[in-house]
Amino acid sequence: MPDNPNDRGSQDRSRISMEQDHEVRYWTEKFGVDRQRLQDAVNAVGNSAEAVENYLAGR
């Protein structure tokens, strides 16, 4: 039986999904960057929110 798409559960804020518009909106607002800068950061360090935050902060 397939998963129920309406049963979304809690969001995982430790990973960034560039495929989900609402997540991209959340992370771009949180980090104060545009979509392309967020994508560049994810490409550079992966989708870990902590790694992306550090990358964007120059750490």
Side-chain angles (χ1 to χ4, degrees), residues 8-29:
R8 298 170 67 171
S10 63
Q11 293 182 318
D12 181 3
R13 290 291 183 212
S14 68
R15 301 279 176 219
I16 298 173
S17 173
M18 294 301 296
E19 292 79 36
Q20 301 289 324
D21 287 336
H22 66 277
E23 284 206 28
V24 171
R25 200 166 36 253
Y26 171 82
W27 292 111
T28 56
E29 289 175 12

Side-chain angles (χ1 to χ4, degrees), residues 43-54:
N43 291 345
V45 298
N47 69 344
S48 162
E50 182 178 3
V52 169
E53 182 174 28
N54 289 335

